[in-house]
Amino acid sequence: MSNTQTAAEPLPFGGGWEGAFRADFPILSRTVHGHPLIYLDNGATTQKPRCVIDAMTDEYLNVNANVHRGVHYLSQQATDLHEAARETIRRFINARSTAEIVFTRGTTESINLVAATFGQACMQDGDEVILTAMEHHSNIVPWQLLQARTRIIIKVCPITDDGRLDLEALQQLFTPRTRLLSLTAVSNVLGTVNPIRDIIRMAHAHDVPVLIDAAQAAPHLPLDVQDLDCDFLAFSGHKIYGPTGIGVLYGKEAWLDRLPPYMGGGEMIGKVTFEHTTFNELPYKFEAGTPDYVATTGLARALDYVTAIGLDNIQQHEQALTSYAREQLSQVPGIRFFGPSDDAVISFLVGDIHHLDLGTLLDQLGIAVRTGHHCAEPLMHRLGVEGTVRASFALYNTREEVDALVAGILRIQKMFR
Ligand SMILES: *Cc1c(COP(=O)(O)O)cnc(C)c1O
């Protein structure tokens, strides 16, 4: 493929690291309302490096053909790229086999897939699933949809006032009817990094499998599914510098084998001409229809990019930036923080300025932040607020941008005095 872009050698934070990779992201040089763009909405989606855009453009320009279906050259080349992407993803999360890597449209579809198929195969009326008070709607509503078919019981692990899971309360929620624990590794609102390794061990001690929502974790922390020993794990391409519309469901092979297809898979399998005779039932059983094979290439390129920089380096940079931001934002009179902001996410409110007003006025200064309930309305109820302002960071954000955010908030605050 053309335009291979190699990330520079990682440099220590505070040295040349800051801003070192900004040039890889073309969009970061644009202006918004006459100001340089300061993009602090990475929890919602990240920007894409040129290498991802180029890999996808290159595939459309030079390779495009449907995968797994043709004997012709382009189809085989497209299939090779698609399956190489699956291998890149397997390596990225250290799954045992590519049979355990299912392509979906994103975290939401991955969780819906598990809720529907696990619900069908493994849950009966009166069985229980445990969620937590800090889940994204995409890890709440699929279970409620399942409830319409099977009268399962949803139990919710509470959080403490400082925005952490109450692990003692969690321990008490397990019963002989508990069939699954499904929780986020990192809160998209509070920035809490949950101790998922310990939690998985706790659940397994009760013989309960665990689904990890890694939508927020994957871009910020190294994940090793074998070390974690999670049973399922979901993440989205667009939050980790990859394209939108593509995501991953990891499942242990034994579990995926047990689950029925999600969408018209059987029929699809009957019709497909497998030129590569090595195809097994998994993971294709869960991949009905033409996949977004260009997006899978883009996602693989994004993971290569992240790996070249090093997730450890990215994590170090983002955590230092997050602490710096918490410190600097503390100067703002009347600011209230929500959650511990362990990693890359800071939620706050300033005095009685409405979150929407603050977000709209920051936008006028070219600063993109998120406002509202962040797809976590039950958590907002728990926090006793209608919404918050959220700044969320990525590998390309800098302390200069944090300074601009703080200056912007102070300026807006004066308007309300
Ligand atoms: C963004 C997000 C999701 C949903 O991801 P999609 O890409 O919209 O499917 C789920 N959980 C968390 C924690 C998220 O941040």
Side-chain angles (χ1 to χ4, degrees), residues 42-46 48 136 188 215-216 219 236-243:
N42 297 285
T45 201
T46 52
K48 320 305 170 198
H136 189 280
N188 65 313
Q216 291 296 329
S236 298
H238 70 99
K239 290 188 180 177
I240 185 164
Y241 312 105

Side-chain angles (χ1 to χ4, degrees), residues 218-245:
H220 307 293
L221 330 165
L223 291 171
D224 179 329
V225 292
Q226 291 190 63
D227 178 58
L228 288 171
D229 199 27
C230 54
D231 301 274
F232 302 98
L233 180 136
F235 67 96
S236 298
H238 70 99
K239 290 188 180 177
I240 185 164
Y241 312 105
T244 184

Side-chain angles (χ1 to χ4, degrees), residues 43-44 106-109 136 138 184 186 188 213 215-216 236 238-239:
T107 306
T108 302
E109 187 177 299
H136 189 280
S138 64
T184 192
V186 175
N188 65 313
D213 172 349
Q216 291 296 329
S236 298
H238 70 99
K239 290 188 180 177

